[in-house]
Amino acid sequence: NLLANSNIKEKVELNVITDRYGYMLLNKYIKRNTEKYLRKLSIKTNFFEWSRENLENVCLNSDLAIIPIDLKDPMMLGKPENKLILLWRMGLPAIVGGTPSYIKIMKEVNQNNYITKKSDWIPKLNELIDSKSKREIAGMEGFNYVCKNYNKEKFIKKWENLFNSIGFSI
């Protein structure tokens, strides 16, 4: 556990929002109780089962989001940026695993809060934990980006372009 063996162990309280059960071994063979697993960690951790309400409540009471990605898993490299967009929509700054989609969107916002090497997690976490102003700026930049690029008008335009590209005129 990277956090448990670091100098920020006492500064961090993890709020994990996910499914109650997850599967290991090809994501379908060995069922694991997430809450039980989290209790074994040597860092203060709170489990919240995935729901829209839990996401909103936890994000409103959090300073920073972490989206860890196992970059050694080729399947994970194709993950889209939807979680980050969701967090930014709530104004929450985030540190993310350096998948191509996360790196692309972070660069569009002029942020470098993505991690490509395991050894970079703790320094980046320390940087944002220790600076309220950096967290506020990162959250606001993300929020502004989402408002500008992921609004209703943009979605309607993308759908129009899609239909036009296949010969339907809207």
Side-chain angles (χ1 to χ4, degrees):
N1 184 329
L2 190 64
L3 293 176
N5 297 321
S6 73
N7 61 343
I8 63 171
K9 178 181 174 180
E10 302 304 320
K11 298 180 191 179
V12 174
E13 180 176 328
L14 291 179
N15 293 314
V16 179
I17 309 166
T18 192
D19 297 325
R20 183 166 302 280
Y21 296 98
Y23 290 88
M24 299 168 22
L25 193 59
L26 301 175
N27 280 332
K28 66 180 189 177
Y29 291 114
I30 301 173
K31 189 175 183 178
R32 176 173 67 181
N33 183 308
T34 305
E35 188 172 12
K36 265 174 114 171
Y37 170 77
L38 292 172
R39 276 192 237 127
K40 295 177 186 175
L41 299 178
S42 58
I43 189 165
K44 185 166 174 38
T45 306
N46 305 302
F47 170 76
F48 298 90
E49 191 161 8
W50 172 256
S51 73
R52 181 178 177 178
E53 296 78 25
N54 281 344
L55 178 67
E56 289 174 7
N57 290 330
V58 170
C59 286
L60 286 173
N61 293 298
S62 296
D63 297 318
L64 176 66
I66 301 171
I67 305 175
I69 303 287
D70 181 1
L71 298 176
K72 293 178 184 167
D73 183 344
M75 295 297 288
M76 294 292 146
L77 294 177
K79 287 184 95 46
E81 67 274 9
N82 59 329
K83 282 184 190 173
L84 180 58
I85 298 300
L86 191 62
L87 295 167
W88 278 353
R89 184 175 298 283
M90 292 184 277
L92 193 61
I95 300 175
V96 300
T99 65
S101 62
Y102 284 149
I103 291 173
K104 177 184 176 288
I105 198 168
M106 281 279 181
K107 286 183 176 180
E108 288 177 15
V109 183
N110 294 316
Q111 290 186 21
N112 64 352
N113 296 332
Y114 57 88
I115 306 300
T116 57
K117 295 185 309 196
K118 190 176 180 179
S119 61
D120 291 339
W121 277 102
I122 300 305
K124 181 55 73 177
L125 284 165
N126 267 322
E127 178 185 332
L128 288 179
I129 287 170
D130 292 340
S131 176
K132 183 177 181 183
S133 66
K134 284 185 180 181
R135 290 192 312 272
E136 288 174 347
I137 290 168
M140 188 54 67
E141 288 172 342
F143 177 77
N144 291 336
Y145 177 84
V146 170
C147 289
K148 180 180 176 187
N149 295 288
Y150 290 84
N151 57 48
K152 186 176 179 179
E153 292 78 23
K154 292 273 185 180
F155 279 117
I156 290 171
K157 188 70 177 159
K158 286 181 182 181
W159 278 106
E160 283 178 2
N161 291 340
L162 173 69
F163 284 119
N164 289 337
S165 75
I166 58 173
F168 290 101
S169 182
I170 297 179

